[in-house]
PDB file of all heavy atoms in Angstrom:
ATOM      1  N   ARG A  24      -5.496  -2.239  21.667  1.00 98.00           N
ATOM      2  CA  ARG A  24      -4.071  -2.328  21.344  1.00 98.00           C
ATOM      3  C   ARG A  24      -3.368  -1.054  21.784  1.00 98.00           C
ATOM      4  O   ARG A  24      -3.775   0.063  21.380  1.00 98.00           O
ATOM      5  CB  ARG A  24      -3.892  -2.534  19.840  1.00 98.00           C
ATOM      6  CG  ARG A  24      -4.250  -3.935  19.368  1.00 98.00           C
ATOM      7  CD  ARG A  24      -4.109  -4.048  17.863  1.00 98.00           C
ATOM      8  NE  ARG A  24      -4.313  -5.423  17.441  1.00 98.00           N
ATOM      9  CZ  ARG A  24      -3.349  -6.215  16.902  1.00 98.00           C
ATOM     10  NH1 ARG A  24      -2.141  -5.739  16.749  1.00 98.00           N
ATOM     11  NH2 ARG A  24      -3.634  -7.438  16.564  1.00 98.00           N
ATOM     12  N   PRO A  74       5.101  14.999 -15.063  1.00 72.00           N
ATOM     13  CA  PRO A  74       4.776  13.686 -14.489  1.00 72.00           C
ATOM     14  C   PRO A  74       5.856  12.638 -14.758  1.00 72.00           C
ATOM     15  O   PRO A  74       6.418  12.571 -15.877  1.00 72.00           O
ATOM     16  CB  PRO A  74       3.451  13.318 -15.151  1.00 72.00           C
ATOM     17  CG  PRO A  74       2.810  14.628 -15.425  1.00 72.00           C
ATOM     18  CD  PRO A  74       3.966  15.538 -15.809  1.00 72.00           C
ATOM     19  N   TRP A 145       4.695  -3.093  -0.257  1.00 97.00           N
ATOM     20  CA  TRP A 145       5.303  -4.376  -0.569  1.00 97.00           C
ATOM     21  C   TRP A 145       4.893  -5.385   0.518  1.00 97.00           C
ATOM     22  O   TRP A 145       5.053  -5.086   1.701  1.00 97.00           O
ATOM     23  CB  TRP A 145       6.827  -4.285  -0.622  1.00 97.00           C
ATOM     24  CG  TRP A 145       7.372  -3.544  -1.804  1.00 97.00           C
ATOM     25  CD1 TRP A 145       6.703  -2.747  -2.660  1.00 97.00           C
ATOM     26  CD2 TRP A 145       8.750  -3.537  -2.229  1.00 97.00           C
ATOM     27  NE1 TRP A 145       7.526  -2.243  -3.615  1.00 97.00           N
ATOM     28  CE2 TRP A 145       8.804  -2.720  -3.387  1.00 97.00           C
ATOM     29  CE3 TRP A 145       9.902  -4.156  -1.787  1.00 97.00           C
ATOM     30  CZ2 TRP A 145       9.970  -2.483  -4.056  1.00 97.00           C
ATOM     31  CZ3 TRP A 145      11.078  -3.926  -2.456  1.00 97.00           C
ATOM     32  CH2 TRP A 145      11.127  -3.109  -3.596  1.00 97.00           C
ATOM     33  N   LYS A 153       7.251 -18.104  -2.949  1.00 97.00           N
ATOM     34  CA  LYS A 153       8.114 -17.099  -3.568  1.00 97.00           C
ATOM     35  C   LYS A 153       8.389 -17.352  -5.050  1.00 97.00           C
ATOM     36  O   LYS A 153       8.625 -16.410  -5.803  1.00 97.00           O
ATOM     37  CB  LYS A 153       9.468 -17.024  -2.796  1.00 97.00           C
ATOM     38  CG  LYS A 153       9.331 -16.255  -1.506  1.00 97.00           C
ATOM     39  CD  LYS A 153      10.696 -15.903  -0.923  1.00 97.00           C
ATOM     40  CE  LYS A 153      10.540 -15.079   0.324  1.00 97.00           C
ATOM     41  NZ  LYS A 153       9.981 -13.718   0.043  1.00 97.00           N
ATOM     42  N   GLN A 277      -0.701 -11.293   9.129  1.00 97.00           N
ATOM     43  CA  GLN A 277      -0.212 -12.431   9.906  1.00 97.00           C
ATOM     44  C   GLN A 277       1.273 -12.562   9.655  1.00 97.00           C
ATOM     45  O   GLN A 277       1.693 -12.831   8.520  1.00 97.00           O
ATOM     46  CB  GLN A 277      -0.957 -13.676   9.493  1.00 97.00           C
ATOM     47  CG  GLN A 277      -0.754 -14.866  10.381  1.00 97.00           C
ATOM     48  CD  GLN A 277      -1.666 -16.006   9.985  1.00 97.00           C
ATOM     49  OE1 GLN A 277      -1.545 -16.567   8.906  1.00 97.00           O
ATOM     50  NE2 GLN A 277      -2.614 -16.338  10.854  1.00 97.00           N
TER      51      GLN A 277
END
Side-chain angles (χ1 to χ4, degrees):
R24 287 178 174 247
W145 289 15
K153 283 194 177 292
Q277 192 173 64

